């Protein structure tokens, strides 16, 4: 900087040095744009391709590639017609299912997750190792009774519950070693590591036993459960940044904890809430494996329908593309809405930690 | 319920009639966390235990129902040393001398790290859990290192275990690097920032099944959009699907396309939230952009980055849709991830085998994630604070 | 509306006329009592079409109009159908009232009693015209231990299709042996076969893993493995349940299978049947190995570029056959291949057995009756004789009347010559005394879709060589035999072959 002030700058130097701290050097700016535009192409081209494929006739796909509608091929609405007119209600039903299941389960996961995340940032829990061991042992016993001895699950579960209560009352005071909030948090997030294939059969049996298979309820509850860890984990990060004094003054004014949580924390963490909601919404909107097992007809969701377009006649690219395109729309709208919340919150500055 | 019992801030209520509101307030610590604990117990822990039982048994259909026969660790034995060894562990090859040299260097590195901990050189308190955790980490990573050299050479062939680890480690590092680069570029004071931010986020919204199909179209060498390019390069009749490594990379490209947006968004938010004053001061002092990044930006975003990477790691272990639809796990078993392996076993009623693969995946994923959380995540958190 | 959209106006008119006549004559049993199933809903599960699902979906509204029963067609991907059904039955969920699936899987469903025995219903049902259904489907494919559990909706045979124009131009005959198949593929590979200026391929066979490719290897191996007629079987030695996969015959088949890739698209290893079908009908392949579908797909003017340029022939065979004592391949003699024609032993493979409908035994009687009547309605000649000529239905001919009435096919757009050729190839396969039956013992899915398919996929990918492949299939099958009880499996295997 010193040197450049004394000597006249060569063009090369000027290209690589910013005029002032706020702006970017011209050459750097050009490079930045090249990279960003290249990446935009990487991101948008597959979507563009899906979009135009939805207007192609089978012959356009098998003779391809054709790139621009009206110029190198004549677009046709046949696929859109098939999906929305011929299949009509068969498309609308999974679509509505997806909307209902994804939005409700997301709302529940975020709300319940936020509650726990708040608790984990503000309250210190000390569950005792001994009690947990006891609990696991009893749960193991319940599973053994149900699976091996074929005892009715209602019965074994109540036996387990009773045993556990007795156990707690008898031994709780004698345990010394305890865990802390971080351990609880990790225990919660570790549930997300579980591959769904492992848990899906027990869950299937559970819903089958209670006659809830192939209902919205089953999928909502399952999605809520699998996404809850992420909600807790992300929301805790956001809550941790909110200064303690805000709530302390409210507590001194006599506000209850619930009230503090609902009226002070939730509004302050809006950007965090929006980001978390977005991520969980995307995860449950697009989930395939669990839906495959837990739904048959009534609760079938969109990803299943997309996968279904791969048939013995070869993948029906045109139908598939229509479905994928219409599947993006609700999420895109939600994202636009949430995106506004996210950036607003960041500008607000109240949350800066 | 467990946790709330031991809440320390709880003050014993005096014995008097309490109305509902007061009760609610008093029990708030319990009530706040109870739903999460119950839901996880019901829909995660209970299935986990039930499938633990499945992993140790053989599922058989019998007249009017099914029968579970306890077989001990047979299902695991089959995967690790039995008839499914090629499928899970891989085909074992010969380790060359120089490879042994690398392995011993890596393992002595682990050993040194352990020694530092136990001798107190790392200035950390030696605890029982800490020691066990470190021993498990070192053991698992050493075994995986040896395994990597055994199956990834000319004479060996990786099974679903090593393929999954490839997806996880290569995938997450590449995705993190690209996402960080894009986030740094986007965080600059440029026009059109909001457009890029929105556009870059879109891929994650596409359903993975859809992404897999989209990439099948993209990667079609003869009818896909890039086929003229391949023809120009003389590759028109070339098939990535026939080559094990190319097929794996194609799966990885699809996975990256989907997940870079997630890391990008999180990192961008973190970069934009870092204190501006410090950076401006450093720039006035004439610090290079690299220095600014290394000394200010990176430490500031490290905790958020660690969380994002952890979440990404967890999801990466579960990769299934892409290999399933792009290649059905082929050529041979080259692109088969552990989740797909487990799913295929499930589909053919081999529930025990399926659960055993799932459990192995759970074990490795937990070790990797816990190690990351404890030894990297917490360190960055400490630095960033 | 939906019905009208999917069919040409002429077809609809004809269909309704046909329907009106049958109704008037009272042939249609379901029609007798008006709206006897009001308020009944039948959930029928099958795999995602449009094939198979399409005709079911199309007939459902008509059926409801006639009988009052609402039929919901539920579809799941092919690879999930077996498990999805089994899970539904085993856990007693019973969300599925009836299903259209591969009869090969029937043993796993019928043995535990999940499927309804249909014998009394079929006996009373004159509209079904059961005698018109070809014997193989009627009395073998849909039966388990001598009792019918399913209704045939589709006929299935593996056959070889060739481009008659390309072969003629090159002066070649359709292949009779697999060596000839390779020779033809080699001779025409690289020619432009659809006039787009690009080189096309000698042979396209679906080889994708976890799809429907494992039938192809058995189609090739059949002629080498089975010479003494259908009851000899091609999977196991009926003496001791020894798998017939580790010998010179199977090695020869593996080599042929791999060699076909030389004259094929480079990504053949990642092609599903759907992909090879669309390659073939867009004129890019000279030869392919497939079920009956190609014949009807090739006459669909919307997608086909090979209308009237396609010939079909029963599976090629071999001039030598396995000696089961020695494991060696030996030249055919009058005793080792009594059914050989011109010294070539062929074993047409009844792969899959044709999509058929079965009914969940634990349903309500009324629902079961409605489900039966629906399947019967779809299978009745009035419906099926038109359906089998259309590519989109996925239904291939299985009734005598369908083989014999060339008119039907000419109306659908085939030339008379092509129709005779196509139907002739199916009839040849069906009437062959050395027809090869599919594996129908319990857990056949594990034998084929897991062990065989994985080993073949690894072989094609070059992970293992011929000997390792044969060893790994043999080990896998022996392991399954031990697990499931070798003697039980042998007994059932012999029963499916009609041996005592």
């Amino acid at each position: 900087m010193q040197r450049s002030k004394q000597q006249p700058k060569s063009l090369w130097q000027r290209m690589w040095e910013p005029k002032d701290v706020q702006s970017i050097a011209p050459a750097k700016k050009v490079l930045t744009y090249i990279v960003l535009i290249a990446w935009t192409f990487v991101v948008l081209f597959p979507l563009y391709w899906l979009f135009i494929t939805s207007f192609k006739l089978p012959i356009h796909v098998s003779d391809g590639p054709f790139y621009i509608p009206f110029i190198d091929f004549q677009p046709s609405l046949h696929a859109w017609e098939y999906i929305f007119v011929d299949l009509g209600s068969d498309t609308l039903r999974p679509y509505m299912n997806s909307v209902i299941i994804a939005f409700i389960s997301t709302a529940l996961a975020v709300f319940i997750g936020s509650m726990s995340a708040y608790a984990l940032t503000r309250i210190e829990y000390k569950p005792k190792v001994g009690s947990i061991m006891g609990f696991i042992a009893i749960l193991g016993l319940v599973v053994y009774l149900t699976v091996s001895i074929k005892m009715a699950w209602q019965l074994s579960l109540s036996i387990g519950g009773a045993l556990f209560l007795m156990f707690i009352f008898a031994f709780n005071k004698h345990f010394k070693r305890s865990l802390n909030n971080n351990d609880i948090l990790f225990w919660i997030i570790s549930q997300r590591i579980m591959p769904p294939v492992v848990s899906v059969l027990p869950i299937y049996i559970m819903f089958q036993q209670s006659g809830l298979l192939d209902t919205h309820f089953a999928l909502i509850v399952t999605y809520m459960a699998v996404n809850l860890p992420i909600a807790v984990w992300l929301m805790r990060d956001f809550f941790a940044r909110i200064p303690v004094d805000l709530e302390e003054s409210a507590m001194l004014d006599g506000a209850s904890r619930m009230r503090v949580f609902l009226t002070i924390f939730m509004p302050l963490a809006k950007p965090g809430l929006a980001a978390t909601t977005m991520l969980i919404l995307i995860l449950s909107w697009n989930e395939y494996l669990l839906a495959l097992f837990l739904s048959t007809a009534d609760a079938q969701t969109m990803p299943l329908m997309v996968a279904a377009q791969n048939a013995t006649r070869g993948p029906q690219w045109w139908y598939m593309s229509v479905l994928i395109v219409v599947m993006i729309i609700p999420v895109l709208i939600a994202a636009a809405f949430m995106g506004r919340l996210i950036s607003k919150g960041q500008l607000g500055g109240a949350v800066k930690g | 319920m467990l946790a709330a019992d031991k809440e320390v801030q709880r003050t014993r209520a005096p014995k008097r009639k309490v109305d509902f509101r007061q009760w609610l307030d008093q029990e708030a610590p319990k009530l706040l966390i109870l739903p999460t604990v119950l839901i996880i117990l019901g829909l995660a822990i209970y299935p986990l235990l039930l499938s633990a039982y499945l992993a140790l048994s053989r599922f058989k259909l019998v007249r009017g129902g099914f029968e579970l026969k306890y077989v001990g660790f047979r299902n695991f034995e089959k995967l690790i040393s039995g008839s499914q060894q090629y499928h899970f562990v891989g085909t074992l090859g010969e380790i060359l001398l120089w490879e042994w040299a690398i392995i011993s260097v890596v393992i002595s590195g682990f050993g040194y790290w352990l020694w530092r901990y136990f001798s107190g050189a790392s200035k950390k308190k030696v605890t029982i859990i800490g020691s066990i955790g470190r021993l498990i980490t070192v053991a698992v990573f050493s075994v995986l290192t040896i395994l990597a050299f055994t199956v990834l050479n000319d004479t060996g062939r990786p099974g679903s275990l090593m393929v999954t680890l490839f997806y996880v480690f290569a995938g997450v590092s590449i995705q993190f690097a690209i996402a960080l680069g894009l986030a740094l570029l986007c965080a600059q004071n440029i026009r059109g920032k909001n457009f890029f931010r929105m556009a870059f986020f879109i891929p994650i919204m596409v359903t993975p099944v859809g992404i897999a199909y989209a990439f099948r179209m993209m990667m079609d060498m003869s009818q896909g959009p890039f086929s003229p390019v391949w023809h120009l390069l003389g590759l028109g009749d070339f098939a990535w699907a026939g080559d094990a490594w190319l097929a794996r990379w194609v799966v990885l490209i699809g996975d990256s396309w989907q997940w870079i947006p997630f890391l990008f968004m999180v990192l961008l938010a973190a970069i934009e939230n870092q204190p501006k004053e410090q950076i401006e001061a450093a720039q006035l002092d004439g610090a290079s952009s690299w220095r600014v990044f290394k000394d200010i930006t990176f430490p500031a975003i490290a905790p958020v980055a660690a969380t994002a990477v952890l979440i990404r790691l967890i999801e990466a272990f579960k990769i299934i849709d892409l290999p399933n639809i792009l290649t059905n796990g082929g050529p041979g078993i080259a692109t088969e991830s552990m989740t797909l392996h487990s799913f295929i076993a499930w589909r053919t009623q081999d529930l025990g085998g399926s659960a055993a693969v799932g459990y192995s995946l759970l074990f490795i994923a937990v070790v990797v994630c816990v190690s990351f959380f404890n030894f990297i995540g917490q360190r960055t958190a400490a630095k960033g604070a | 509306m939906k019905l009208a959209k999917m069919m040409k106006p002429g077809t609809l008119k004809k269909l309704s006329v046909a329907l009106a006549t049958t109704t008037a004559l009272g042939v249609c049993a379901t029609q007798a009592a008006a709206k006897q199933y009001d308020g009944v809903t039948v959930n029928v599960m099958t795999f995602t079409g449009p094939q198979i699902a399409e005709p079911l979906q199309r007939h459902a509204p008509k059926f409801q109009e006639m009988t009052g029963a609402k039929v919901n067609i539920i579809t799941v991907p092919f690879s999930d159908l077996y498990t999805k059904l089994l899970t539904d039955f085993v856990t007693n969920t019973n969300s599925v009232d009836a299903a259209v699936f591969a009869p090969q899987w029937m043993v796993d469903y019928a043995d535990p009693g999940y499927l309804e025995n249909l014998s009394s219903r079929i006996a009373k049902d004159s509209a079904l015209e059961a005698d018109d259904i070809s014997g193989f489907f009627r009395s073998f494919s849909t039966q388990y231990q001598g009792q019918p559990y399913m209704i045939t909706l589709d006929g299935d045979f593996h056959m070889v299709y060739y481009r008659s124009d390309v072969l003629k131009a090159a002066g070649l005959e359709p292949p009779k042996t697999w060596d000839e198949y390779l020779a033809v593929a080699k001779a025409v590979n690289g020619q432009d076969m659809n006039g787009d200026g690009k080189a096309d391929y000698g042979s396209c066979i679906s080889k994708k893993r976890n799809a429907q490719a494992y039938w192809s290897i058995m189609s090739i191996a059949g002629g080498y493995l089975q010479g003494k007629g259908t009851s000899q079987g091609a999977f196991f030695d009926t003496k001791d349940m020894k798998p017939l996969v580790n010998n010179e015959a199977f090695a020869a088949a593996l080599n042929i299978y791999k060699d076909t890739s030389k004259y094929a698209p480079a990504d053949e290893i990642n092609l599903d049947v759907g992909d090879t079908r669309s390659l073939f009908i867009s004129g890019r392949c000279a030869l392919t190995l497939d079920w009956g579908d190609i014949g009807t797909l090739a006459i669909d003017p919307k997608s086909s570029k090979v209308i009237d340029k396609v010939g079909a022939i029963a599976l090629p065979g071999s001039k030598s056959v396995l000696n089961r004592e020695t494991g060696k391949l030996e030249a055919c003699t009058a005793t080792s291949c009594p059914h050989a024609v011109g010294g070539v032993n062929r074993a047409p493979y009844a792969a899959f057995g044709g999509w058929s409908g079965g009914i969940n035994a634990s349903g309500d009687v009324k629902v079961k009756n409605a489900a039966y009547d629906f399947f019967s309605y779809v299978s009745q000649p009035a419906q099926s004789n038109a359906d089998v000529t259309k590519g989109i239905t996925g239904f291939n001919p299985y009734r005598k009347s369908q083989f014999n009435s060339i008119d039907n096919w000419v109306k659908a757009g085939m030339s008379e010559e092509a129709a005779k050729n196509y139907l002739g190839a199916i009839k040849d396969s069906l009437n062959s005394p050395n027809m090869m039956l599919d594996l129908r013992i319990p857990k056949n899915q594990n034998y084929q879709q897991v062990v065989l398919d994985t080993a073949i996929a690894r072989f094609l990918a070059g992970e293992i060589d011929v000997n390792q492949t044969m060893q790994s299939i043999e080990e896998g099958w022996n392991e399954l035999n031990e697990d499931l009880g070798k003697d039980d499996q042998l007994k059932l295997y012999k029963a499916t072959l009609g041996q005592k």
Side-chain angles (χ1 to χ4, degrees), chain B residues 230-281:
Chain B
W230 304 127
H231 276 289
L232 267 182
L233 295 174
L235 292 174
D237 229 3
F238 171 82
W240 56 266
D243 182 277
W245 278 105
L246 279 177
R248 285 179 199 132
W249 278 106
V250 169
V251 170
L252 202 65
I253 291 172
D255 188 50
S256 301
W257 189 81
Q258 182 193 0
W259 280 102
I260 284 172
F262 166 71
L263 291 171
F264 165 78
M265 283 308 269
V266 177
L267 291 173
L268 182 62
I271 292 171
E272 289 188 330
N273 265 344
Q274 64 174 327
K276 296 260 181 324
E277 304 78 21
Q278 238 181 321
I279 297 181
E280 282 164 16

Side-chain angles (χ1 to χ4, degrees), chain A residues 138 142 155-169:
Chain A
I138 288 168
V142 170
L155 184 62
S156 60
L157 216 58
S158 25
I159 292 178
L163 271 177
F164 180 65
L165 284 180
M166 279 159 58
F167 177 81
I168 286 289
F169 287 128

Side-chain angles (χ1 to χ4, degrees), chain C residues 303-344:
Chain C
S303 49
S304 172
K305 290 187 175 167
V306 290
I307 298 175
D308 257 338
K309 293 176 183 168
V310 178
I313 185 168
L315 286 179
S318 152
K319 287 184 176 166
S320 46
V321 75
L322 176 70
N323 179 335
R324 296 190 178 187
E325 299 300 318
T326 59
K328 298 264 185 287
L329 208 49
E330 286 168 9
C332 265
T333 62
T335 45
S336 67
C337 343
H339 308 292
V341 178
V344 178

Side-chain angles (χ1 to χ4, degrees), chain B residues 32 87 131 133-134 138 154 156 234 237 303 316 343:
Chain B
L32 282 169
H87 202 161
S131 316
R134 279 171 175 79
V138 165
D154 294 341
D237 229 3
F343 179 60

Side-chain angles (χ1 to χ4, degrees), chain B residues 162-196:
Chain B
M162 207 35 79
V163 171
T164 307
L165 291 173
F166 166 74
Y167 291 146
V168 171
F169 289 113
V172 175
S173 352
I174 291 170
Q175 289 155 23
F176 183 75
I178 295 179
L180 182 61
L182 290 171
L184 285 170
L185 289 179
C186 264
Q188 294 178 96
N189 198 3
I190 53 166
R191 289 162 71 99
K193 207 172 170 173
N194 282 332
F195 167 75
F196 289 125

Side-chain angles (χ1 to χ4, degrees), chain B residues 58 61-66 78 83 86-87 91 157 216 222-223 237-242 325-334 336 343-344 346-349, chain C residues 79-80 82-83 86-87 90 108 111-114 198 201 208-211 265-267 269-270 275 284 443 445-446 449-450 454 457-458 461-463 479 483-484:
Chain B
R58 195 165 63 213
L61 288 169
V62 291
R63 194 171 277 275
F66 59 89
K78 208 165 146 185
S83 62
Y86 78 90
H87 202 161
T91 311
R157 242 165 237 291
R216 254 184 82 179
S222 63
Q223 255 88 45
D237 229 3
F238 171 82
W240 56 266
I325 285 164
L326 278 168
T327 58
N328 279 8
I333 53 161
E336 195 169 316
F343 179 60
I344 289 173
W346 201 98
R347 206 155 60 188
T348 46
Q349 309 296 315
Chain C
S79 51
D80 300 318
Y82 171 80
T83 303
L86 194 57
T87 327
V90 169
D108 288 345
D111 186 55
Y114 303 136
K198 282 190 246 174
Y201 311 106
K208 189 166 186 159
R209 181 176 170 225
N210 279 328
D267 59 347
I269 195 170
N270 203 25
D275 301 305
R284 304 217 56 201
K443 291 261 187 174
Q445 255 241 335
N446 279 23
Q449 207 178 340
V450 183
T454 313
R458 296 175 72 211
E463 286 181 20
E479 198 178 275
D483 276 3
L484 299 164

Side-chain angles (χ1 to χ4, degrees), chain A residues 279-295:
Chain A
L279 181 67
I280 293 179
L281 181 66
I282 287 169
L283 286 172
S284 34
W285 178 257
N286 293 332
E287 208 284 333
Y288 171 73
L289 199 60
L290 291 167
L292 179 67
F293 289 112
L294 299 181
S295 68

